[in-house]
């Protein structure tokens, strides 16, 4: 029976096929029937039915359907077998063969017995072999050849067919594997194609790029699989054709030809599949690439449109047309710079538009999306270009108008200069008048090119740019032009009259002609004598008189005109100075901005970092200091305020005064300048600076621009001096003088601070010493009186070279070190040596033998420093400044003392009729008193303002005492700080120099001025200080203190009835004593220091006691020494 069996592959039954109990050699019968050979296989009967069936099924499936339809020829070789085996084999084959049979050829056993047996058995058992096809028993191979040609039989059957079972099995396995590979490849490509077709296009560049990359990778892998399959097919084809390659005479059998055909068909199928895939991939890839192009285009469009929108917003801010020629030029330059910077964005937009057009030309699938964007880009670019062009046109108009106005103003100024330069005296002659007239007429001819011709035409031509301010400016210039022309016309008329004068005719002889020559107006006697003359002579005499009178009148008018012209000339000069101030200020601001943008900002630019050396890393603040702060001050504040004074330059001093505090920022910049200069010298060869200078197109290197702030702050004082020179009679002259003084003060402070920062070795904070007032180099001798002072400081015959720094609270002595380096590195340095607390300092103005010397002494002349200045002028300046410091200390102490005295006058005990003492019942007041005595600045506080001696009466004062109100800024200081020298324990040594000038000894006793003033009558007035008891009062009383003659007491408070409240310095007890029992402690000393040259008797009374108050007032700054 025929059974339907599932097709098998050689690989599935490879082991069964290897047994070779049946094979398909490729031979064919005469009618083309495939020949299946069953070779002699002894174990044929042992082959399982399943394996037999599988092999039969597979072998019958190999030939083509056409050949299989003819039927198979079976050749059963049993020549070496037994008949029983033959019978079993034939019956098995007949029962299990799955295909059509055409003929069965059996080679029966060759043995005699077996052959005879087979003949008999076959005859008797013929019915058992009844099959659909005949079964022919063959006795020998030659008989077989009668049925099948030898060329179709293998060698073991006496044929010539080349057959190798192993090779056949390899070919079958390879062909079937290749067919499976082709099938799988086709399926894979089909699946991949479906995936590509179903992929949605992303909406951004990154996703589109990712999809394109992923699909490309898969395509490459698929192409690689196809390449491997093609190579496999080619290898199989070459293996099938191998016999032909070895021997061209050989030919392939039918099965080999079928195999070749099969492989060729598979290869063709694979090629067709690959071609179809390539075509599909090309379309898919093009779509993805176009999608990526579209996403790039859309992204670039968004960026470009955003940049164009920003440019449109910026160009909309360019509304200013300028208020001067320089301003218009600056705005035009800014517009040009803006256009240059924006050109990159505009060019990018135009390029993107062209790129979009190119995509459209390349048949992009998204034409409807690309074309509107291209149109929008072109529109934005054209709109921006038109806006820039419009702004440039307006600025050019502004530039043209301001040029015209500048030319007109310059022409007016030159005209006024011309009028001012024509001397009036020379114009009185006919020749001089004619020459001046020619000058004026020649100058007026130049007005056609320079002056404003028609105001209405200006309004019409420049209407788009005429703001209210500019319109007023045009009107002012035109009014100035008309005023100047009117001045010229008046001068012309005057000169024409002078030029038209005829030479005076020769006078005929007349009586008393000397009268006419002596005076243009004859005396009455002359007139009487001349009445007898003829009328003609009288007329001749009156003519010169009238002419002279007319000339005198014209002379007065000329002088008045000359004064007005002089004022106009000064106004022009002031305007010139103001213009120079404004022009240089604008240039200065622009240069600062250029440095900050071109150098400082670039130090933070990541693209320029590689050019910075290690020494410049994080050093921007060192190199540029506070230049940015200076720029913002000038750009945002000072320049704008200066422009407000362009029409009133004589008032510009107010602008400086209002902003004087802001100018202190220059001190910080100058203090940093040495560090900046040092860093520049170390790194000036850095490629970064060269690249920045190249970009900025600067001819000068950065260090020249870093010097600009220093140059600018010094330039202001020169401009202010010039402005002041031309504004002495103007309203703002005082402000200009004050501004000049302030700027000079800033320059001095800057210079002083440069020296101050060079001090080394000082442990404290220099800012605690107060403001630096003066500094300079001096020769110094020392003369110390104390025994514990170092030997080397006892006496110096050779002077020390010291640099002194005078502060408000101390004076520093430093040693100047040698200067090294170049430029700012050449600045000197100072080694700190010692300092003197100004609260314990006194001075002696003059030293015998040298007008350049003065003394600074310390702690009651325990230390004396003889200072020699380079010149007497420098000495005078220092002495005057020290006076001011000490005087200010004295004044501050007096005010504080008076204030405390007023507070305490109600709390101290006073004598009363009751039996109370200061130590009883007034404990709290005494406690306050004791607490107050511990304050080093409160000692003078016990003196109320009412107890101070009155100023001496007129005529009784010292001839050297000036009026205090008139000399309030020239008061000389007391030799001791705060004016408290009367409160210390020791007197000055008698060895004080004899030539003290105003700051040394006072010969008169204490209160001498009071005694003179009051005539010695009445109770004694309180003078704070130390006194000696001259009358014993050992018993004391309920309200008085027991004292002995010779005791030293300190006055605390003045009471009533001639009693003073004192403290006994010996017993430390306090109480009331009669004022008459006290004597001034130092009344016999002739060396008590006083301020006799400038203070009134009040100052003498308060300050004529013992030496400086170092023990009581030196506390606050005592730590400054050392």
């Amino acid at each position: 029976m025929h059974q339907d069996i599932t097709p098998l592959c050689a690989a599935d039954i490879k082991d069964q096929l290897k047994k070779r109990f049946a094979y398909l050699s490729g031979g064919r019968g005469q009618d083309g029937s495939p020949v299946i050979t069953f070779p002699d296989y002894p174990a044929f009967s042992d082959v399982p039915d399943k394996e037999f069936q599988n092999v039969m099924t597979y072998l019958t499936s190999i030939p083509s359907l056409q050949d299989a339809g003819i039927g198979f020829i079976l050749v059963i070789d049993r020549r070496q077998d037994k008949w029983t085996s033959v019978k079993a084999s034939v019956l098995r084959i007949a029962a299990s063969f799955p295909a059509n049979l055409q003929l069965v050829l059996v080679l029966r056993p060759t043995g005699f017995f077996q052959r005879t047996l087979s003949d008999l058995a076959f005859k008797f058992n013929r019915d058992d072999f009844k099959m659909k096809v005949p079964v022919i028993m063959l006795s020998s191979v030659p008989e077989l050849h009668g049925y099948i040609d030898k060329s179709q039989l293998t060698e073991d059957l006496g044929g010539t067919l080349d057959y190798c079972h192993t090779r056949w099995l390899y070919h079958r396995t390879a062909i079937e594997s290749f067919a499976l590979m082709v099938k799988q490849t086709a399926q894979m490509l089909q699946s991949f194609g479906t995936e590509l077709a179903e992929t949605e296009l992303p909406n951004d560049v990154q996703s589109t790029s990712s999809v394109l990359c992923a699909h490309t990778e898969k395509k490459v892998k698929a192409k690689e699989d196809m390449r491997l399959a093609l190579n496999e097919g080619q290898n199989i084809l070459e293996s099938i054709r191998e016999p032909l390659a070895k021997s061209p005479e050989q030919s392939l059998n039918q099965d080999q030809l079928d195999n070749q055909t099969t492989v060729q068909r598979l290869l063709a199928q694979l090629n067709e599949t690959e071609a179809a895939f390539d075509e599909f991939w090309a379309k898919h890839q093009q779509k993805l690439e176009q999608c990526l192009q579209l996403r790039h285009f859309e992204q670039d469009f968004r960026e470009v449109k955003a940049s164009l929108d920003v440019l449109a917003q910026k160009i909309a801010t360019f509304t200013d047309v300028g208020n001067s020629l320089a301003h218009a030029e600056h705005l035009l330059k800014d517009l040009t710079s803006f256009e240059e910077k924006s050109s990159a964005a505009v060019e990018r937009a135009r390029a993107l538009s062209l790129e979009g057009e190119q995509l459209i030309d390349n048949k992009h699938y998204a034409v409807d999306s690309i074309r509107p964007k291209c149109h929008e880009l072109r529109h934005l670019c054209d709109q921006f270009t038109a806006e820039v062009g419009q702004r440039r046109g307006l600025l050019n108009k502004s530039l043209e108008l301001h040029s015209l106005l500048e030319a007109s103003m310059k022409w007016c100024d030159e005209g006024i200069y011309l009028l001012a330069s024509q001397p009036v005296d020379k114009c009185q002659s006919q020749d001089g008048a004619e020459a001046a007239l020619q000058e004026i007429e020649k100058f007026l001819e130049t007005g056609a090119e320079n002056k404003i011709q028609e105001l209405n035409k200006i309004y019409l031509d420049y209407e788009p740019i005429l703001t209210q301010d500019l319109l007023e400016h045009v009107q002012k210039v035109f009014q100035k032009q008309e005023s100047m022309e009117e001045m010229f016309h008046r001068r012309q008329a005057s000169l024409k009259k002078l030029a038209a004068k005829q030479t005076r005719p020769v006078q005929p002889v007349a009586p008393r002609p000397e009268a006419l020559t002596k005076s243009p107006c004859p005396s009455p006697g002359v007139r009487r004598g001349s009445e007898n003359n003829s009328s003609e002579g009288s007329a001749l005499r009156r003519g010169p008189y009238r002419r002279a009178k007319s000339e005198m009148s014209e002379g007065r008018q000329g002088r008045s005109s000359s004064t007005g012209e002089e004022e106009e000339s000064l106004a022009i000069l002031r305007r010139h100075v103001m213009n120079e101030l404004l022009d240089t200020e604008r240039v200065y601001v622009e240069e600062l901005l250029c440095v900050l943008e071109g150098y400082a900002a670039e130090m933070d630019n990541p693209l320029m970092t590689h050019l910075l050396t290690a020494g410049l890393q994080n050093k921007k603040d060192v190199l540029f200091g506070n230049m940015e702060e200076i720029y913002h001050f000038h750009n945002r504040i000072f320049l704008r305020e200066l422009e407000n004074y362009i029409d009133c330059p004589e008032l510009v001093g107010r602008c400086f005064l209002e902003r004087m505090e802001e100018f202190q920022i220059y001190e910080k910049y100058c203090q940093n300048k040495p560090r900046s200069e040092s860093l520049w010298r170390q790194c000036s060869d850095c490629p970064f600076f060269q690249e920045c200078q190249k970009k900025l197109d600067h001819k000068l290197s950065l260090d020249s621009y870093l010097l600009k702030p220093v140059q600018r702050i010094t330039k202001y004082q020169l401009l202010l001096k010039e402005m002041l020179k031309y504004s002495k009679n103007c309203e703002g002259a005082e402000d200009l003088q004050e501004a000049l003084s302030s700027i000079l003060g800033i320059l001095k402070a800057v210079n002083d601070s440069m020296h101050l920062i060079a001090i080394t070795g000082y442990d404290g904070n220099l800012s605690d010493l107060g403001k630096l007032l003066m500094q300079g180099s001096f020769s110094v001798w020392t003369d110390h009186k104390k025994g514990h002072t170092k030997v080397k400081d006892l006496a110096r015959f050779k002077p020390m070279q010291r640099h002194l720094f005078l502060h408000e609270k101390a004076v520093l002595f430093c040693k100047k070190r040698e200067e090294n380096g170049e430029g700012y590195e050449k600045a000197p340095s100072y080694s700190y040596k010692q300092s003197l607390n100004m609260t314990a300092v006194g001075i002696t103005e003059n030293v015998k033998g040298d007008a350049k010397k003065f003394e600074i002494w310390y702690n009651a002349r325990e230390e004396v420093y003889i200072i020699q200045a380079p010149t007497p002028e420098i000495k005078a300046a220092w002495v005057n400044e020290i006076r001011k410091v000490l005087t200010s200390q004295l004044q501050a102490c007096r005010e504080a003392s008076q204030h405390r005295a007023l507070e305490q006058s109600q709390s101290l005990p006073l004598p009363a009729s009751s039996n109370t003492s200061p130590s009883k019942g007034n404990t709290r007041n005494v406690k306050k008193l004791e607490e107050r005595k511990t304050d080093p600045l409160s000692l003078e506080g016990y003196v109320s303002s009412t107890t101070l001696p009155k100023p001496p009466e007129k005529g009784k004062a010292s001839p050297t005492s000036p009026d205090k109100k008139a000399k309030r800024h020239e008061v000389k200081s007391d030799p001791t700080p705060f004016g408290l020298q009367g409160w210390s324990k020791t007197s000055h040594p008698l060895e004080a120099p004899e030539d003290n000038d105003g700051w040394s000894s006072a010969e008169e006793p204490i209160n001498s001025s009071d005694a003179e003033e009051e005539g010695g009558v009445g109770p004694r007035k309180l003078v704070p200080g130390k006194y000696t008891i001259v009358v014993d009062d050992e018993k004391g009383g309920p309200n008085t203190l027991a004292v002995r003659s010779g005791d030293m007491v300190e006055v605390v408070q003045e009471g009533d009835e001639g009693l003073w409240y004192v403290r006994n310095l010996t017993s430390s007890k306090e109480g009331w004593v009669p004022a008459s029992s006290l004597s001034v402690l130092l009344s016999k000393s002739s060396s008590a220091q006083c301020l006799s040259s400038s203070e009134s008797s009040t100052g003498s009374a308060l300050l004529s006691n013992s030496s400086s108050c170092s023990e009581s007032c030196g506390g606050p700054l005592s730590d400054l020494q050392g």
Side-chain angles (χ1 to χ4, degrees):
M1 287 180 63
H2 177 74
Q3 297 180 3
D4 294 332
I5 301 175
T6 303
L8 297 175
C9 295
D12 297 336
I13 57 172
K14 189 173 183 180
D15 294 336
Q16 301 169 21
L17 291 174
K18 282 182 179 181
K19 293 180 179 182
R20 200 173 173 266
F21 58 83
Y23 62 86
L24 188 68
S25 63
R28 292 292 186 269
Q30 294 177 356
D31 55 358
S33 302
V35 177
I36 295 178
T37 304
F38 290 86
D40 189 8
Y41 187 75
F44 182 77
S45 59
D46 298 331
V47 175
D49 292 341
K50 183 65 176 176
E51 291 184 5
F52 180 78
Q53 187 178 358
N54 288 340
V55 172
M56 289 300 103
T57 302
Y58 177 73
L59 292 179
T60 56
S61 67
I62 293 175
S64 64
L65 294 176
Q66 180 181 359
D67 291 345
I70 299 174
F72 287 89
I73 297 176
L74 302 183
V75 178
I76 303 173
D77 185 8
R78 291 293 180 266
R79 288 176 293 176
Q80 303 298 327
D81 209 345
K82 298 178 181 180
W83 168 247
T84 57
S85 174
V86 171
K87 180 181 178 180
S89 298
V90 172
L91 291 175
R92 186 177 188 181
I93 293 171
S96 303
F97 195 75
N100 296 331
L101 286 175
Q102 186 183 32
L103 180 65
V104 178
L105 301 174
V106 181
L107 286 174
R108 57 186 178 180
T110 57
F112 177 76
F113 176 76
Q114 291 298 328
R115 185 174 56 193
T116 303
L117 181 62
S118 63
D119 287 341
L120 294 173
F122 185 72
K123 291 179 182 179
F124 291 108
N125 299 303
R126 186 176 295 274
D127 294 337
D128 295 335
F129 296 102
K130 285 183 179 181
M131 302 173 69
K132 294 180 181 181
V133 294
V135 177
I136 301 173
M137 292 291 179
L138 302 177
S139 300
S140 62
V141 171
E143 292 181 11
L144 177 63
H145 295 167
Y147 294 94
I148 301 175
D149 191 82
K150 292 171 60 176
S151 63
Q152 301 299 316
L153 295 173
T154 58
E155 293 179 357
D156 56 345
L157 295 177
T160 61
L161 182 64
D162 183 21
Y163 174 77
C164 175
H165 188 69
T166 303
R167 184 177 61 195
W168 175 86
L169 184 59
Y170 165 73
H171 286 166
R172 291 308 305 171
T173 305
I175 290 172
E176 291 172 0
S177 175
F178 177 58
L180 181 62
M181 181 184 294
V182 171
K183 181 181 179 181
Q184 292 175 348
T185 301
Q187 291 175 349
M188 180 269 296
L189 292 179
Q190 181 66 28
S191 175
F192 183 42
T194 303
E195 179 186 349
L196 297 183
E198 294 177 353
T199 300
E200 293 185 2
L201 298 178
N203 293 324
D204 60 278
V205 173
Q206 185 176 359
S207 299
T208 306
S209 299
S210 300
V211 170
L212 180 59
C213 183
H215 286 187
T216 303
E217 289 179 358
K218 290 184 178 180
K219 175 252 182 183
V220 171
K221 186 177 182 302
K223 291 287 289 182
E224 180 65 19
D225 292 341
M226 285 189 287
R227 187 186 64 80
L228 293 175
L230 287 172
N231 290 340
E232 182 70 17
Q234 290 295 336
N235 292 334
I236 296 173
L237 192 59
E238 290 177 2
S239 177
I240 294 173
R241 293 175 177 175
E242 186 178 356
L244 296 178
K246 290 181 179 180
S247 178
E249 297 177 355
Q250 291 187 0
S251 60
L252 300 179
N253 59 41
Q254 190 60 44
D255 283 350
Q256 291 174 334
L257 291 175
D258 289 345
N259 289 341
Q260 177 178 298
T261 302
T262 300
V263 173
Q264 289 175 343
R265 176 177 54 80
L266 291 173
L267 287 173
Q269 180 182 347
L270 193 59
N271 286 328
E272 290 175 2
T273 303
E274 182 180 17
F277 174 75
D278 289 343
E279 183 180 356
F280 174 78
W281 170 254
K283 294 180 180 179
H284 181 74
Q285 184 182 29
Q286 181 183 10
K287 191 171 184 179
L288 282 179
E289 289 177 347
Q290 287 184 348
C291 178
L292 184 61
Q293 292 171 350
L294 177 63
R295 301 299 177 244
H296 276 296
F297 178 79
E298 291 173 344
Q299 179 176 320
D300 293 343
F301 172 79
R302 289 191 293 269
E303 294 176 357
V304 169
K305 186 175 183 302
S307 63
L308 290 178
D309 291 342
V310 171
L311 293 179
Q313 293 175 0
K314 288 184 178 180
I315 194 63
T317 61
F318 281 77
T319 56
D320 197 357
V321 295
N323 52 21
S324 66
L325 180 61
H327 192 194
E329 290 175 345
H330 183 72
L331 290 175
L332 192 58
K333 185 178 179 181
D334 287 346
L335 180 64
T336 303
S337 175
F338 171 72
E339 186 179 13
E340 291 175 354
K341 293 179 180 178
S342 61
S343 61
V346 176
E347 290 300 323
R348 185 185 176 194
R350 295 191 185 279
L352 187 60
S353 177
L354 293 176
E355 183 181 334
E357 296 291 344
Q358 188 68 32
L359 292 178
I360 295 175
D361 294 341
N362 291 337
K363 308 293 182 63
H364 198 282
Y365 71 86
V367 173
D368 295 338
S369 174
I370 297 174
R371 183 173 283 117
K373 290 181 173 61
C374 294
H375 292 164
E376 185 176 0
L377 288 175
R378 285 196 297 270
H379 173 70
L380 291 175
C381 290
D382 295 341
Q383 185 178 8
F384 175 76
T385 304
E387 187 69 21
V388 172
Q390 181 183 0
R391 297 307 308 162
R392 179 179 287 103
L394 293 176
L395 288 177
N396 284 329
K397 277 281 186 183
S398 175
L399 196 65
E400 183 180 336
L401 176 59
H402 283 296
S403 298
L404 181 61
L405 296 176
E406 289 280 345
S408 176
M409 292 177 66
K410 184 178 179 181
W411 185 68
C412 293
D413 292 343
E414 291 176 352
I416 295 172
Y417 269 126
L418 176 60
L419 293 179
S421 63
Q422 290 182 340
V424 179
D425 53 347
K426 292 185 179 179
C427 293
Q428 298 302 317
S429 65
Q430 185 175 7
D431 293 340
E434 290 178 351
L437 191 60
Q438 290 178 358
E439 286 182 351
I440 290 176
E441 290 174 350
K442 185 178 180 180
F443 176 78
L444 289 176
E445 290 176 358
T446 63
E449 300 176 356
N450 298 313
K451 71 177 184 178
I452 300 174
Q453 301 293 342
E454 297 180 16
L455 197 58
N456 291 332
K457 190 172 184 301
I458 294 293
Y459 294 158
L460 185 62
D461 291 345
Y462 300 100
E463 182 181 2
I465 62 169
L466 280 178
T467 61
Q468 185 63 32
D469 293 340
L470 189 54
L471 182 63
E472 293 177 358
H473 184 50
V474 171
Q475 293 171 350
K476 288 181 181 179
V477 173
F478 189 73
Q479 290 173 1
K480 178 181 179 180
Q481 178 181 297
E482 287 185 329
S483 300
M484 193 274 296
E485 288 179 328
E486 185 179 353
M487 291 171 60
F488 266 78
H489 293 326
R490 289 199 304 265
R491 178 66 64 88
Q492 270 185 312
S494 176
L495 291 174
K496 284 180 180 178
K497 290 180 182 179
L498 293 175
K501 288 181 182 178
Q502 298 298 323
T503 305
R504 180 178 298 178
V506 178
Q507 298 292 333
V509 177
R512 301 187 64 168
E514 64 276 2
L516 294 177
T517 60
K518 287 182 180 180
S519 173
C521 181
S523 64
V526 173
R527 284 199 293 271
R528 282 193 303 270
S530 63
E531 289 174 359
N532 298 326
N533 296 334
S534 63
S535 61
E536 183 181 358
S538 176
L540 290 174
R541 286 192 298 271
R542 286 195 300 269
Y545 169 74
R546 290 173 180 171
R547 189 181 300 117
K549 185 176 181 181
S550 175
E551 289 175 1
M552 290 173 64
S553 176
E554 290 178 2
R556 285 193 297 270
Q557 293 178 1
R559 283 192 297 273
S560 176
S561 175
S562 175
T563 302
E565 292 168 1
E566 182 180 356
E567 285 298 321
E568 185 67 21
S569 300
L570 290 175
I572 293 171
L573 293 171
R574 289 194 295 272
R575 209 154 38 239
H576 276 291
V577 176
M578 189 66 195
N579 289 337
E580 182 181 358
L581 175 60
L582 277 173
D583 292 343
T584 55
E585 185 72 14
R586 293 189 184 106
V587 171
Y588 174 56
V589 169
E590 187 174 349
E591 288 175 338
L592 291 182
L593 178 62
C594 192
V595 171
L596 291 173
E597 289 183 347
Y599 286 97
E602 289 297 310
M603 291 186 75
D604 298 327
N605 185 355
L607 300 178
M608 299 286 285
T609 306
H610 66 284
L611 297 177
L612 291 174
T613 59
L616 280 174
Q617 296 290 341
N618 302 320
K619 292 293 181 65
K620 184 170 74 171
D621 292 339
V622 175
L623 186 61
F624 297 97
N626 61 330
M627 180 181 284
E628 185 174 358
E629 183 183 6
I630 294 174
Y631 165 72
H632 287 313
F633 163 63
H634 284 272
N635 183 50
R636 297 174 181 174
I637 301 174
F638 193 61
L639 176 57
R640 297 182 182 181
E641 293 183 356
L642 280 179
E643 290 172 345
N644 296 331
Y645 292 90
I646 191 170
D647 294 327
C648 46
E650 65 277 1
L651 302 180
V652 75
R654 299 174 184 175
C655 182
F656 281 89
L657 291 176
E658 290 172 358
R659 297 297 172 186
M660 200 55 63
E661 288 187 7
E662 281 88 339
F663 277 105
Q664 302 294 332
I665 57 179
Y666 279 91
E667 184 172 344
K668 180 179 178 182
Y669 185 86
C670 293
Q671 287 178 353
N672 180 70
K673 197 67 178 71
R675 297 174 62 205
S676 173
E677 184 77 11
S678 177
L679 180 61
W680 167 256
R681 292 189 178 278
Q682 296 173 19
C683 306
S684 58
D685 296 334
C686 178
F688 170 80
F689 296 124
Q690 300 172 5
E691 181 66 21
C692 292
Q693 183 177 350
K694 182 179 178 182
K695 285 183 179 180
L696 295 172
D697 195 23
H698 281 178
K699 295 181 180 179
L700 300 176
S701 55
L702 174 61
D703 59 327
S704 300
Y705 291 92
L706 294 177
L707 198 58
K708 294 291 182 181
V710 181
Q711 295 171 337
R712 187 60 183 170
I713 191 65
T714 57
K715 178 72 172 176
Y716 286 131
Q717 56 102 5
L718 299 176
L719 293 170
L720 287 173
K721 284 180 181 177
E722 285 293 307
M723 184 67 77
L724 183 62
K725 184 168 69 174
Y726 304 132
S727 310
K728 291 186 177 179
N729 297 325
C730 296
E731 177 185 352
E734 292 184 1
D735 291 335
L736 284 171
Q737 182 62 55
E738 187 177 352
L740 175 60
S741 300
S742 299
I743 286 290
L744 291 174
I746 289 178
L747 290 176
K748 178 183 179 300
V750 168
N751 182 57
D752 290 345
S753 68
M754 296 293 288
H755 290 273
L756 197 61
I757 62 175
I759 296 178
T760 59
Y762 183 73
D763 294 335
N765 189 350
L766 290 172
S767 61
D768 294 338
L769 304 182
K771 181 181 178 182
L772 177 64
L773 303 175
M774 301 189 77
Q775 52 86 22
S777 295
F778 299 88
S779 297
V780 179
W781 290 264
T782 61
D783 185 11
H784 297 340
K785 303 302 182 182
K786 288 295 184 180
H788 65 272
T789 309
K790 295 181 181 179
V791 176
K792 65 177 184 179
D793 290 331
L794 287 177
R796 286 187 179 269
F797 298 98
K798 183 179 179 181
M800 299 177 291
Q801 298 302 316
R802 291 289 182 263
H803 200 90
L804 271 61
F805 294 87
L806 177 62
H807 292 262
E808 291 176 323
K809 298 181 181 180
V811 57
L812 271 61
F813 289 76
C814 299
K815 184 174 182 180
K816 187 175 181 180
R817 297 300 180 187
E818 293 192 7
E819 303 170 358
N820 297 315
E822 299 178 1
Y824 280 92
E825 292 184 351
K826 199 175 181 182
S829 64
Y830 305 98
S831 296
Y832 169 76
K833 293 300 181 183
Q834 65 188 115
S835 61
L836 303 180
N837 192 337
M838 290 302 292
T839 60
V841 163
I843 65 168
T844 302
E845 292 189 24
N846 296 318
V847 176
K848 269 187 178 181
D850 195 336
K852 297 183 291 185
K853 288 183 180 179
F854 63 98
E855 284 184 354
I856 296 179
W857 39 270
Y858 194 66
N859 281 348
R861 301 189 68 86
E862 290 178 4
E863 303 173 16
V864 179
Y865 300 87
I866 301 174
I867 313 297
Q868 184 182 44
T871 63
E873 291 77 13
I874 294 178
K875 169 209 163 179
W878 273 72
V879 169
N880 186 48
E881 197 65 39
I882 295 175
R883 282 180 190 166
K884 292 179 181 178
V885 174
L886 299 180
T887 302
S888 64
Q889 292 177 353
L890 170 64
Q891 187 64 27
C893 186
R894 282 177 176 168
E895 292 174 357
S897 299
Q898 293 173 5
H899 179 71
R900 281 192 291 269
L902 289 175
E903 291 180 349
Q904 201 169 23
S905 60
Q906 301 177 4
S907 63
L908 289 176
L910 293 174
S913 58
S914 59
N915 296 330
T916 59
S917 68
S919 60
K920 297 179 182 180
N922 294 302
T923 306
R924 185 171 56 181
N925 292 340
V926 174
K927 183 176 181 181
K928 286 184 180 180
L929 173 64
E930 293 176 350
E931 289 176 354
R932 188 176 299 272
K933 286 189 290 184
T934 61
D935 184 356
L937 297 179
S938 65
L939 295 176
E940 199 174 63
Y942 299 120
V943 185
S944 66
S945 58
T946 58
T947 63
L948 294 176
K950 296 180 181 179
E953 296 178 2
K954 187 175 181 181
K956 293 185 180 182
S958 170
T960 60
S961 300
D963 181 76
K964 287 184 68 175
K965 183 176 181 181
K967 298 292 184 178
R968 66 181 184 277
H969 297 302
E970 300 178 6
V971 177
K972 295 183 180 180
S973 175
D974 187 70
T976 58
F978 303 108
L980 301 179
Q981 83 183 53
W983 300 96
S984 74
K985 299 179 180 179
T986 59
S987 65
H988 285 307
L990 299 178
E991 303 85 51
E994 297 176 359
D995 57 345
N996 289 338
D997 185 9
W999 296 92
S1000 56
S1001 61
E1003 299 293 338
E1004 54 191 16
I1006 294 177
N1007 291 335
S1008 60
S1009 60
D1010 294 85
E1012 292 175 5
E1013 184 178 355
E1014 300 177 10
V1017 180
R1020 295 182 61 182
K1021 298 295 183 180
L1022 170 67
V1023 178
K1026 299 172 184 174
Y1027 292 79
T1028 303
I1029 300 298
V1030 295
V1031 178
D1032 290 344
D1033 187 8
E1034 298 183 1
K1035 295 181 180 180
N1039 297 326
T1040 59
L1041 177 67
V1043 292
R1044 296 178 61 187
S1045 178
D1047 287 351
M1048 285 194 299
V1049 297
E1050 185 177 44
V1051 176
V1052 176
Q1053 175 67 32
E1054 179 184 14
D1056 297 332
E1057 300 177 0
L1059 296 178
W1060 285 2
Y1061 191 80
V1062 301
R1063 180 167 61 92
N1064 193 328
L1065 297 179
T1066 305
S1067 63
S1068 298
K1069 294 181 179 180
E1070 297 181 356
W1072 296 95
V1073 297
S1076 58
S1077 66
L1078 301 179
S1079 175
V1080 179
L1081 177 62
L1082 299 176
S1083 61
K1084 297 179 181 180
S1085 172
S1086 63
S1087 61
Q1089 302 293 315
C1090 71
L1091 183 58
S1092 60
S1093 61
S1094 61
E1095 288 287 77
S1096 64
S1097 59
T1098 302
S1100 299
L1102 289 175
L1103 303 176
S1104 61
N1105 291 308
S1106 64
S1107 63
S1108 83
C1109 60
S1110 59
E1111 289 120 352
S1112 60
C1113 297
L1117 290 176
S1118 61
D1119 60 334
L1120 295 176
Q1121 296 190 56

